[in-house]
Amino acid sequence: MNTTPYTSMITSADTVPGPGQGNWTYDDYAAMPEDEKRYQIVDGVLFMSPSPNTRHQDTVGAIFVYLRDHAMRNELGKVYVAPLDVELTPKTVVQPDVLVILHAHLERISDKRIIGAPDLVVEVASPGTTGFDRRQKQDAYAHSGVPEYWIVDPASHVVELLVLENATYHSLGIFEGQPTLPSKVVSGFSVHVEQFFI
């Protein structure tokens, strides 16, 4: 297994031409010329993300496949994998590693992006993204009403499951090995946590 660590971090993209930090919107973001870099906006601040390593991609791929198969088999909704824009608000546009939209909210899916809160977001963390995932993104997901948030650590093979209660995330625990995740959103999901880590 490739265990090469991330060497870069999520940073504010202060030098990118645009409306200025704190004022970025989805329309500004969508008008940017393609430069093969990955950007996200939180509260109007434009951030640039590092390219993921192979371990990250292996984990994201496994989670996506298991969630998508379960959702299709049980007709629960749609499952998507990054890169896909999610416009939580006009000034917050993120790209979760994996996301689930239940059938009750399929109207949030447009041709180019998701508009509104997914029912579940999954972020696969790394040393370069953990702070962003646990601060800026977690706050953004809570404020926009994402009911469930998984933070996955491929280095230690664990998943923390957070559920939204009274606009704040509460942890249902950190899971590893044989247990399954007690998801409130993806009912009947019976995959063992260790299966996410190839």
Side-chain angles (χ1 to χ4, degrees), residues 57-78:
Q57 293 298 78
D58 284 339
T59 305
V60 168
I63 292 169
F64 170 71
V65 167
Y66 285 122
L67 280 172
R68 184 174 181 269
D69 287 351
H70 181 78
M72 289 179 67
R73 197 167 46 251
N74 295 281
E75 299 182 350
L76 296 178
K78 296 275 196 174

Side-chain angles (χ1 to χ4, degrees), residues 104-118:
H105 303 132
L106 292 182
E107 78 283 353
R108 297 175 187 174
I109 302 170
S110 76
D111 286 342
K112 294 186 176 180
R113 65 194 188 278
I114 306 300
I115 304 172

Side-chain angles (χ1 to χ4, degrees), residues 29-47:
Y29 166 88
M32 291 171 61
E34 180 57 52
D35 64 3
E36 299 183 4
K37 295 179 181 170
R38 187 174 172 189
Y39 295 98
Q40 301 180 82
I41 306 168
V42 178
D43 294 331
V45 176
L46 184 70
F47 292 90

Side-chain angles (χ1 to χ4, degrees), residues 15-197:
T15 60
V16 175
Q21 293 292 38
N23 297 307
W24 283 87
T25 67
Y26 175 78
D27 289 338
D28 300 318
Y29 166 88
M32 291 171 61
E34 180 57 52
D35 64 3
E36 299 183 4
K37 295 179 181 170
R38 187 174 172 189
Y39 295 98
Q40 301 180 82
I41 306 168
V42 178
D43 294 331
V45 176
L46 184 70
F47 292 90
M48 185 171 62
S49 305
S51 294
N53 65 13
T54 53
R55 179 169 58 187
H56 175 281
Q57 293 298 78
D58 284 339
T59 305
V60 168
I63 292 169
F64 170 71
V65 167
Y66 285 122
L67 280 172
R68 184 174 181 269
D69 287 351
H70 181 78
M72 289 179 67
R73 197 167 46 251
N74 295 281
E75 299 182 350
L76 296 178
K78 296 275 196 174
V79 181
Y80 295 98
V81 65
L84 176 66
D85 294 331
V86 176
E87 183 182 351
L88 297 173
T89 72
K91 294 180 80 173
T92 298
V93 183
V94 294
Q95 293 187 357
D97 288 316
V98 182
L99 64 98
V100 176
I101 306 285
L102 297 178
H103 274 301
H105 303 132
L106 292 182
E107 78 283 353
R108 297 175 187 174
I109 302 170
S110 76
D111 286 342
K112 294 186 176 180
R113 65 194 188 278
I114 306 300
I115 304 172
D119 294 286
L120 166 66
V121 294
V122 180
E123 295 290 357
V124 176
S126 72
T129 66
T130 298
F132 187 69
D133 293 336
R134 288 197 173 274
R135 289 192 296 273
Q136 289 96 335
K137 269 194 171 179
Q138 185 167 321
D139 288 347
Y141 292 147
H143 292 155
S144 48
V146 175
E148 190 167 302
Y149 180 25
W150 300 357
I151 301 177
V152 181
D153 184 343
S156 55
H157 292 194
V158 300
V159 179
E160 183 171 14
L161 193 157
L162 304 168
V163 293
L164 195 65
E165 297 174 2
N166 300 318
T168 302
Y169 281 118
H170 298 277
S171 179
L172 294 186
I174 297 174
F175 301 87
E176 63 181 323
Q178 290 290 319
T180 59
L181 296 174
S183 175
K184 307 292 185 187
V185 169
V186 187
S187 58
F189 189 61
S190 60
V191 175
H192 299 297
V193 169
E194 66 184 8
Q195 294 175 257
F196 296 153
F197 307 106

